[in-house]
Amino acid sequence: MNEYDFHEKTFASRRCCYEMALIKFTSKGIYCKQGDFYIDPWKPVKLAVTTHGHADHVKWGNDAYLCHELTKPVLNQRLGQDLNIQTLAYRKEISINGVKISLFPAGHVIGSAQIRLEYKGEVCVVSGDYKVESDGISTPFEPVKCHTFVSESTFGLPIYKWQPQEIVLSGIKDWIADNHDKKKTSVLVAYSLGKAQRLIHGLAGYSDIYVHNSIANLNEGFIAAGVNLPETIRITADTKKDDMQKGIVIVPPALAEGRWIKNLSNPATGACSGWMQVRAGRRWRSADAGFALSDHADWPGLLSAIKATEAEKVFVTHGFTATFSKYLNEIGISAEEVKTQYGNEEEEEKEIIS
């Protein structure tokens, strides 16, 4: 029997009902009854299988965590050093109560993973957050064939279609050069986990890069874990304004309108976010410039990723869930929106700055 025949036979014999499948959507999070663990729970549980380190996907207080090797330094940095953490490399497999668990690259941030579950021939993949364009520093997204796929839809509208990363970075470099000619300090606003490292990698060698403590701390954790990150300069009380004006400053969104930036020498702020794709987004937090650089899949990326899984059922957890799930059903992919507590990455910046 070939692989196609196997899947056809399996799909024909299975009713599409998530209450009978590998996962349930509960008040604590996504629960696997057969394995007795949760994926990215938002309330404390015995075992949290974790897709990545953004605060909307991992919380403090779980008895134990399972994550990718490069997510461990993020959890230690943000939640504490005394956590009970087990790690896995990509594509390695363990079994919990008969449920086979393996991690596959999500391409979202360094160490982000899709959680693949297999039990008695049924396969479910919980993707967390993901993007399909390789950013040069995160392990590129890898589609995983499954029966059930859990997807985000942060940018699940047709208007969201990203330009290639090299074009966006070229625009950022031109903006920085113009600021330098005008004696302005270029301040890029980006999430401490993911976007900041992507900018550091993409702008390396162009100019000195100065980073806020929250970014510097995460960078140190990654470097200690073996990630080859370009050198940056931690901003301290002794850092001179004139030096920063000659370079590039990267800060998290929580500081985008703070007194600290206003005290810089003639600062110009550039917001790096997928929300910059639309005109209203470019006015976000009174930024002087907006660059549509996102760590999430755009509309074509979401569709290509889902189609590649060949899933018979898709659950859409956060973002434009109603619109996106409706469209999936219209094109013949059975989809359903579910309510979760994912999608508010900005909250994490408030936590690490406070």
Side-chain angles (χ1 to χ4, degrees):
M1 180 183 296
N2 61 36
E3 183 178 358
Y4 177 80
D5 291 336
F6 166 77
H7 283 298
E8 287 298 300
K9 183 177 180 180
T10 304
F11 291 162
S13 64
R14 179 177 293 106
R15 292 185 179 181
C16 192
C17 175
Y18 71 82
E19 289 294 338
M20 298 173 60
L22 267 173
I23 58 170
K24 292 183 178 181
F25 297 93
T26 76
S27 60
K28 290 184 177 181
I30 302 174
Y31 180 58
C32 175
K33 180 179 179 180
Q34 295 88 338
D36 192 23
F37 56 79
Y38 289 79
I39 299 174
D40 291 354
W42 46 82
K43 292 183 180 180
V45 298
K46 290 188 295 183
L47 174 60
V49 181
T50 301
T51 61
H52 64 286
H54 280 146
D56 57 328
H57 286 262
V58 63
K59 304 293 184 181
W60 181 86
N62 299 297
D63 292 344
Y65 299 81
L66 173 66
C67 64
H68 185 266
E69 297 166 327
L70 294 179
T71 296
K72 183 177 186 295
V74 178
L75 302 192
N76 285 142
Q77 175 65 39
R78 294 188 159 183
L79 303 181
Q81 295 295 322
D82 297 329
L83 301 179
N84 178 11
I85 301 176
Q86 180 181 356
T87 65
L88 273 180
Y90 290 129
R91 304 174 197 86
K92 298 296 182 181
E93 184 178 279
I94 63 170
S95 179
I96 299 179
N97 298 330
V99 178
K100 297 176 183 178
I101 303 175
S102 51
L103 309 182
F104 287 81
H108 177 54
V109 298
I110 295 173
S112 62
Q114 303 172 82
I115 313 299
R116 182 187 186 274
L117 310 177
E118 182 178 352
Y119 184 74
K120 295 184 177 180
E122 181 172 355
V123 177
C124 173
V125 173
V126 181
S127 61
D129 290 327
Y130 62 93
K131 71 173 180 293
V132 298
E133 180 188 28
S134 175
D135 59 21
I137 189 167
S138 307
T139 305
F141 175 85
E142 184 175 322
V144 183
K145 287 182 170 53
C146 56
H147 302 102
T148 305
F149 186 64
V150 181
S151 176
E152 62 149 306
S153 63
T154 302
F155 293 101
L157 291 178
I159 192 173
Y160 293 110
K161 185 177 181 180
W162 313 140
Q163 290 185 313
Q165 175 174 276
E166 59 267 24
I167 293 178
V168 180
L169 288 175
S170 178
I172 293 174
K173 290 176 181 179
D174 289 344
W175 176 75
I176 293 170
D178 184 60
N179 289 337
H180 182 73
D181 291 342
K182 296 176 180 178
K183 305 298 181 184
K184 292 184 177 182
T185 303
S186 299
V187 181
L188 293 171
V189 180
Y191 288 126
S192 301
L193 171 59
K195 198 71 60 61
Q197 290 76 33
R198 190 176 175 186
L199 287 170
I200 290 165
H201 181 268
L203 299 174
Y206 185 72
S207 184
D208 288 338
I209 300 176
Y210 294 82
V211 298
H212 182 266
N213 272 332
S214 61
I215 299 170
N217 290 337
L218 283 173
N219 288 353
E220 289 181 357
F222 284 133
I223 292 170
V227 176
N228 184 21
L229 271 175
E231 182 179 355
T232 59
I233 303 169
R234 183 190 293 265
I235 299 171
T236 69
D238 297 326
T239 305
K240 297 179 180 179
K241 294 180 183 179
D242 290 344
D243 291 338
M244 285 191 285
Q245 187 178 61
K246 300 172 186 176
I248 303 166
V249 179
I250 304 178
V251 300
L255 295 181
E257 294 182 337
R259 182 181 301 175
W260 181 84
I261 288 181
K262 294 177 181 178
N263 288 336
L264 292 175
S265 301
N266 197 14
T269 57
C272 299
S273 168
W275 302 115
M276 301 300 108
Q277 177 82 13
V278 296
R279 181 175 299 176
R282 297 191 186 107
R283 296 194 295 269
W284 180 62
R285 293 185 172 175
S286 303
D288 299 295
F291 304 100
L293 188 68
S294 178
D295 287 332
H296 296 266
D298 59 3
W299 175 265
L302 290 166
L303 293 176
S304 67
I306 289 171
K307 290 176 182 177
T309 69
E310 300 181 9
E312 68 169 349
K313 180 70 176 184
V314 176
F315 292 104
V316 185
T317 57
H318 57 291
F320 293 99
T321 55
T323 300
F324 190 60
S325 59
K326 181 176 183 291
Y327 181 78
L328 290 176
N329 283 304
E330 288 174 350
I331 63 173
I333 300 174
S334 178
E336 181 178 337
E337 59 175 319
V338 291
K339 186 176 181 179
T340 65
Q341 295 187 21
Y342 309 135
N344 192 4
E345 292 174 357
E346 288 191 37
E347 289 301 316
E348 78 177 61
E349 302 298 341
K350 298 176 183 177
E351 293 179 9
I352 61 178
I353 297 301
S354 60

